[in-house]
Amino acid sequence: MTGKARSHELGFRPDLQGLRAIAVLLVVLDHAGFSAFSGGFVGVDIFFVLSGYLITALLLRQLNATGRIHLLEFYARRLRRLLPALAVMLAGTFGLAVWLLSSFEAEAQLRSGAYAATWTSNIYFVFAQIDYFDDLAARDLFLHTWSLGVEEQFYLVWPVLLICFFNLGRRLRGDTDQGIFWGLVAIATSSFLLSLYWSFASPRAAFFMMLARMWQFALGGLLLFICRTRVLAALPANPHPRASPLVRAILGTGLALILFSAIYLDKTVAYPGLWALMPSIGAALTIVAGSLHARGTRGLLTHRGLVWLGDRSYSLYLWHWPVLILGLSLGVEEESVQTVSLVLCALLFAIFSYRYVELPFWKGGVMDRPLERVLLSGALVMLTLVAVSVHVDRLMHTRVIAERPPGFSKITVPEIYRKSCDAWIAHARVEPCVFGPADAPRTVVLLGDSIGVQWFSAVPEIFRAPEWRTVVLTKSSCPMVDEDFFYTRIGAIYEVCAEWREGVLNWLDRERPDVLIFGSFAGYEFSAEQWHEGTRRILDRVSEAADSVILIPGTPSLGFHGPGCLMRGDPSRHELLLDRCKAQGRTALVRPNERLLEQAAEPYANVHFANFNDLVCPDDVCAAMSETGILVFRDNQHLNDSFVKMWVPVLRQRLVDHLGESNVSTSR
């Protein structure tokens, strides 16, 4: 970097520590479930821009001073800075998971450990096979390390790229700054275009892969040149303790963009895409504002509390996710006093990690060793963590097989999933599953997502062959509500669902069944108007196609993994398990949806609203296991098939009350 750059840019910047604090706070609040900051994931984008700015400044200072970059020294410094705290977090999380969770949960939630230890978990999460019913995978204890993988992969290639741009500029024009500047522009442009393309073609790759995020690092690097433009370079560094009006305007705009992103965005938008420009530009403006300050200038971001938190932001980022996920796995509710306690617990871990791990290895003499020894020690630590991860995975798998409680009902799944009735996201073809004689005089159709059709096993028992045939039409996470929605599991609008739903309605128009039973999960993020009007549009069609329609509301979720909770305890202590693996107040979460569906059904003479949720959660208490020892939930929200079969007589009577005895099988 030439002398035109401001001398304080590479010194300690308290405002950047304040920006780190804001970034990590947004991430923590989002992950803790505080809906006011549903877009808090943009904190990661801020970290990327910051890293690009600081690392590029560090490397360019060395390039301009010596004409080269000492790669081994750079990589050793990154290891000293980042690996010790990561290693302690990984080891601590392994221990806590094995201690607090059942072997069933631990096996599923520690799968990415070996990848987290080698900074490749972002690649793992892109290519990991998605299983719709593996809800524990969404609570992977190392999911947050994807961003660390992106940063480390950036650190690996960035020095080499800067050396290439430096030498190219010197050979072509004799101006190394021009070579680096246009090299950064080329990277930022190509990476951003790739990110836009992947946001639609491969959303997970757009979110997790370094190549789709490199533009944010390049943007940070370009700030070093932006701050030296004729306009900004001509401005004197403000010597006063308060920022100038221009600096306040730039800073205010940057922070406003960040805050707006954190509040306005949520998981229903295709991200990163164009939306990532908002927090990234916001972070860039905030950094530029700080570069116009003189050292010692006071401001919002230099507040002592923010600087203190910014110093500990790396450790807090490492610990907040496993602490929150372990708490949620144990039944803690989001946006509760208990959640706040978990955040404070993570902060306590971060304080100790910073004081006793980060500082000694980063600025102390613990790792003041020859570079080769530092690199070798880092490699050995990573290999050890990989070995620990593999060993824990095998140990948990062995325990799952050997220690399944003998008195528990086994997890049972409806027969429809053994017959591949649900294509999920694969395609939009309507492929009915038929049970019973094809020439049966009467037909009952069960239609819905995985929550709606979880009652399947009761239907053939109530509408019995040979008088009836049962047809199942299902697509997981596809609501029977005529509204498009953004599906976070695929990172895009669920177009397959909309196409399939229209195909199903056309199929019903042709087949005209005697009875149609349908329902959906109650937790889709539709507005009240969307729920009512979208359901009404479906009812307009199906009420004409079927003689009788039964509309079933979605069942309450348990909030934690039912079998996993039961496996944490002694199966002989039945009453203790019953009391511990319960959740109160869950029916209140679905009650507004029940009212909306009931109101939507009222105008149709042949549509009946049938609510079975009192069977699932009697007296507003949802339990993992019934008092008779039957497993109620097979995960955190789907009913166990044995539990459904247990209620066949009651369900039959309720349907008789709605449809009449003549429209339900008389044989029992």
Side-chain angles (χ1 to χ4, degrees), residues 280-547:
S280 301
I281 293 174
L285 291 174
T286 305
I287 294 170
V288 168
S291 73
L292 298 178
H293 283 226
R295 285 190 183 182
T297 303
R298 296 195 301 268
L300 173 64
L301 294 181
T302 60
H303 186 278
R304 183 180 303 175
L306 284 179
V307 173
W308 179 89
L309 184 60
D311 289 341
R312 291 150 183 82
S313 59
Y314 177 56
S315 281
L316 180 56
Y317 185 83
L318 286 176
W319 280 104
H320 84 282
W321 179 259
V323 169
L324 284 170
I325 294 302
L326 285 170
L328 294 174
S329 297
L330 296 174
V332 171
E333 294 284 342
E334 292 184 341
E335 286 195 274
S336 65
V337 174
Q338 291 176 312
T339 308
V340 175
S341 299
L342 290 176
V343 172
L344 293 177
C345 180
L347 181 60
L348 186 62
F349 277 116
I351 292 171
F352 278 92
S353 174
Y354 178 74
R355 174 65 181 83
Y356 297 107
V357 182
E358 273 195 73
L359 281 180
F361 283 88
W362 177 25
K363 295 185 176 180
V366 175
M367 290 291 281
D368 190 15
R369 299 290 186 272
L371 296 179
E372 294 78 5
R373 189 177 299 180
V374 172
L375 294 171
L376 179 60
S377 299
L380 289 175
V381 168
M382 287 190 284
L383 286 174
T384 300
L385 290 169
V386 170
V388 169
S389 176
V390 172
H391 173 71
V392 170
D393 181 68
R394 290 177 178 175
L395 179 63
M396 293 300 101
H397 184 70
T398 301
R399 288 184 179 179
V400 168
I401 296 174
E403 298 178 7
R404 185 179 295 275
F408 288 6
S409 301
K410 292 182 179 180
I411 297 174
T412 52
V413 180
E415 184 183 358
I416 55 176
Y417 295 108
R418 290 192 293 273
K419 292 183 175 293
S420 301
C421 297
D422 187 352
W424 190 25
I425 60 177
H427 59 75
R429 294 192 299 274
V430 178
E431 297 179 338
C433 277
V434 181
F435 301 84
D439 58 350
R442 310 181 77 180
T443 299
V444 56
V445 174
L446 180 62
L447 168 65
D449 59 9
S450 61
I451 298 297
V453 301
Q454 65 187 342
W455 300 99
F456 161 75
S457 293
V459 175
E461 293 296 317
I462 297 171
F463 300 87
R464 299 178 69 90
E467 182 184 1
W468 290 85
R469 68 167 180 159
T470 299
V471 179
V472 176
L473 297 164
T474 180
K475 183 170 289 294
S476 291
S477 287
C478 184
M480 289 310 298
V481 180
D482 187 20
E483 294 283 349
D484 289 337
F485 76 103
F486 186 89
Y487 188 19
T488 56
R489 295 286 289 273
I490 62 173
I493 299 294
Y494 198 0
E495 294 179 355
V496 168
C497 167
E499 294 173 12
W500 177 84
R501 189 169 52 226
E502 181 61 27
V504 164
L505 294 175
N506 293 333
W507 184 91
L508 290 171
D509 288 339
R510 294 192 302 271
E511 297 296 322
R512 307 191 68 81
D514 299 276
V515 175
L516 170 67
I517 303 172
F518 80 98
S520 305
F521 175 55
Y524 294 106
E525 294 184 354
F526 296 132
S527 66
E529 181 180 3
Q530 286 177 314
W531 267 111
H532 185 275
E533 293 303 311
T535 302
R536 184 188 57 77
R537 287 192 290 272
I538 297 295
L539 290 174
D540 284 343
R541 295 281 300 272
V542 300
S543 63
E544 294 292 329
D547 292 342

Side-chain angles (χ1 to χ4, degrees), residues 189-202:
T189 303
S190 57
S191 172
F192 183 67
L193 292 175
L194 178 64
S195 177
L196 291 180
Y197 171 71
W198 272 351
S199 291
F200 296 96
S202 181

Side-chain angles (χ1 to χ4, degrees), residues 100-179:
L100 294 173
L101 302 179
S102 66
S103 53
F104 182 77
E105 294 166 298
E107 181 192 16
Q109 293 180 247
L110 294 171
R111 286 175 185 162
S112 65
Y115 300 91
T118 54
W119 285 304
T120 56
S121 61
N122 60 318
I123 300 173
Y124 167 80
F125 291 121
V126 169
F127 293 104
Q129 185 175 358
I130 304 176
D131 182 353
Y132 174 76
F133 291 108
D134 189 3
D135 62 298
L136 288 176
R139 290 186 171 181
D140 190 299
L141 287 163
F142 305 123
L143 178 60
H144 66 311
T145 63
W146 74 268
S147 64
L148 306 181
V150 169
E151 289 218 25
E152 285 303 315
Q153 291 153 30
F154 159 73
Y155 296 146
L156 190 65
V157 303
W158 202 241
V160 178
L161 289 174
L162 290 183
I163 291 171
C164 293
F165 298 149
F166 181 88
N167 291 329
L168 187 62
R170 183 165 54 186
R171 291 178 182 177
L172 294 181
R173 293 191 175 186
D175 188 339
T176 57
D177 275 5
Q178 285 292 310

